[in-house]
């Protein structure tokens, strides 16, 4: 029988997610993240258990998160069962870092998306919410073909800079032109890439997102172009890469400036000739993908210092999209805050109506180094903690200016005592202080306290154990 996550969440209590992985710690982590997002979780430790649980709750399940490597069943066969028995439920597969060709295969077999181990909590949240959004759409009331894609990934903003981006997206989505999206972290680059795909004729074909900075050079090449059996140790079969997996659809090359110069040459060739040569092969295969690339680096500077090829830049930058940092469009903060309040309170089953004027003022006064993502996270945290109808006040993290004023190279004074100090001990004290405060503010609830401190449940638990903050009762 499927264990219920933490033993305290029952199916029927909210929108249900089936988590299936044979690693208990991973199930626990996923369950916590999902519960924080307002879902209920049923989990299974084996393929057989997953299938039984799936059949039992298939009417309620809105998403399946499935490890592909199972001790008892073939992951691909299980995926096929899900997609034939309940085709509307999106499946997100979990794959190990080194075997991501499984991910390609899984996307082929109908998985909606994949998460690679080891993963970041933020990445899980994004994938999950996207996938459930997809499920809602497929079940939602009948929408006209024109309006449905408009709703998928809302790019919110009235500021002229973001309006221009939206216009551009609408104009170029239907072309096959390569797009280069530039902008700081959290400004919405991936959102724009998805919007381009969803508004194109390729919308029913795969959208494959590859984070180029997450791989070593050799691995990235075999991921992108595929490899032949025996091309390197451990390559036991011919395997397609992401280019082939995205055939007919869109390939999103995220963090494109982090590719090595050698890989850049190879990408250039694919773009120019529309052919892919798998690692270890001499035979090129034709491929039809629309390429959207993104970077949060200043790519002009990368070209100047020789780490990015100018010819590739021109190939990618056919349509340039510049996403403004949030601090340059602070007029949009109330609109975005309202949007995130609605989004999160709906998801958590709360009935928040808004945010106070003084809280908005505080949000406007902040510089937003993490841009829209940071605003999204902060609002989410406040929605979770809010007891009333309105967010009355907001707590922001202390902000250290990103770039110190020109010429101020001298370190800022923290007041090191003349006799010296034990920094480690001091930092532990500071950490303990914040942990205590957060735990007492949330009545000892570790999940909420972790949210308040902007950390995952897991690192909260780790820190509490490490520092033994035990004088407040902890509710898990
Ligand atoms: N204009 C916007 N309207 C609504 N939500 C937005 C907007 N811009 C960003 N977001 C939200 O902020 C989060 C971060 O966006 P996204 O992942 O697209 O950023 P990014 O530029 O790719 O960041 P990174 O460089 O760190 O990967 C997402 O949850 C996204 O939905
Ligand atoms: Mg991104």
């Amino acid at each position: 029988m499927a264990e219920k996550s933490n033993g305290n969440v029952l199916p029927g209590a909210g929108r249900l997610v089936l988590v299936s992985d044979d690693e208990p710690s991973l199930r626990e982590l996923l369950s916590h993240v999902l519960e924080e997002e307002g879902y209920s979780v049923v989990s299974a430790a084996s393929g057989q258990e997953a299938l039984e649980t799936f059949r039992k709750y298939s009417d309620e399940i809105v998403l399946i998160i499935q490890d592909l490597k199972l001790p008892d069943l073939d992951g691909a066969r299980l995926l096929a069962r899900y997609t034939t028995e309940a085709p509307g439920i999106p499946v997100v597969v979990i794959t190990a870092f080194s075997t991501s060709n499984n991910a390609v295969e899984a996307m082929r077999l109908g998985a909606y998306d994949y998460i690679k181990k080891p993963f970041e909590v933020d990445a899980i949240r994004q994938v999950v919410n996207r996938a459930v959004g997809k499920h809602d759409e497929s079940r939602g009331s009948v929408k006209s073909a024109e309006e449905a894609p408009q709703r998928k990934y809302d790019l919110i903003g009235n500021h002229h800079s973001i309006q221009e981006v939206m216009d551009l997206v609408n104009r170029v989505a239907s072309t096959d032109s390569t797009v280069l999206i530039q902008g700081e972290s959290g400004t919405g680059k991936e959102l724009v890439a998805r919007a381009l795909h969803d508004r194109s004729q390729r919308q029913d074909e795969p959208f494959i997102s590859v984070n180029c900075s997450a791989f070593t050079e050799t691995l990235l090449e075999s991921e992108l172009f595929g490899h032949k059996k025996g091309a390197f140790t451990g390559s036991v079969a011919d395997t397609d890469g992401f280019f082939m997996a995205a055939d007919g659809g869109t390939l999103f090359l995220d963090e494109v400036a982090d590719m090595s110069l050698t890989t850049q040459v190879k990408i250039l060739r694919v773009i120019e000739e529309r052919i892919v040569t798998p690692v270890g092969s001499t035979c090129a295969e034709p491929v039809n993908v629309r390429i959207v690339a993104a970077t949060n680096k200043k790519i002009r500077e990368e070209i100047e210092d020789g780490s990015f090829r100018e010819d590739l830049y021109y190939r990618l930058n056919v349509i340039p999209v510049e996403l403004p940092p949030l601090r340059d469009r602070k007029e949009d903060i109330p609109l975005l805050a309202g949007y995130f309040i609605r989004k999160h309170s709906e998801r958590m089953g709360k009935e928040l109506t808004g945010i106070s004027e003084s809280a908005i003022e505080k949000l406007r006064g902040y510089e937003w180094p993490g841009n829209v993502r940071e605003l999204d996270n902060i609002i989410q945290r406040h929605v979770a903690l809010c007891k009333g109808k309105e967010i009355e006040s907001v707590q922001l993290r202390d902000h250290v200016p990103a770039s110190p004023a020109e010429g101020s190279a001298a370190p800022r004074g923290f007041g090191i005592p003349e006799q010296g100090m034990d920094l480690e001990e001091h930092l532990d004290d500071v950490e303990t202080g914040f942990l205590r405060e957060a735990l007492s503010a949330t009545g000892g609830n570790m999940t909420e306290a972790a949210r308040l401190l902007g950390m995952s449940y897991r690192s909260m638990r780790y820190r509490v154990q490490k520092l033994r903050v035990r004088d407040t009762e902890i509710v898990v």
Side-chain angles (χ1 to χ4, degrees), residues 91-95 100 103-104 106-107 111-116 127 208-211 215 242:
V91 184
V92 169
V93 299
I94 305 173
T95 62
S100 64
V104 176
M107 303 285 283
Y112 171 73
D113 211 334
Y114 64 93
I115 315 175
K116 255 185 214 165
V127 169
I208 305 248
S209 164
V210 189
N211 182 346
F215 302 92
F242 286 122

Side-chain angles (χ1 to χ4, degrees), residues 29 87 99 174 181 333 350 454 473:
L29 171 68
T99 59
S174 60
I181 310 166
I333 287 177
K350 293 199 161 197
E473 199 200 336

Side-chain angles (χ1 to χ4, degrees), residues 154-156 185-191 329 340 372-373 376:
D154 290 331
L155 196 61
I156 306 291
S185 181
T187 48
K189 296 185 293 296
E190 177 136 12
L191 204 61
R329 55 175 188 115
F340 292 131
V372 186
R373 176 182 294 119
D376 189 353

Side-chain angles (χ1 to χ4, degrees), residues 32 75 279 374 429 449 462:
H32 273 289
V279 175
E374 189 179 6
D429 283 350
Y462 166 76

Side-chain angles (χ1 to χ4, degrees), residues 26 37 59 75 87 137 153 169 216 229 255 336 358 364 383 403 405:
L26 222 134
E37 293 287 299
D59 284 347
E137 261 161 36
Y153 301 105
V169 165
T216 60
K229 178 180 173 183
E255 315 291 359
L336 283 162
S358 62
R364 274 174 180 275
V383 168
S403 51

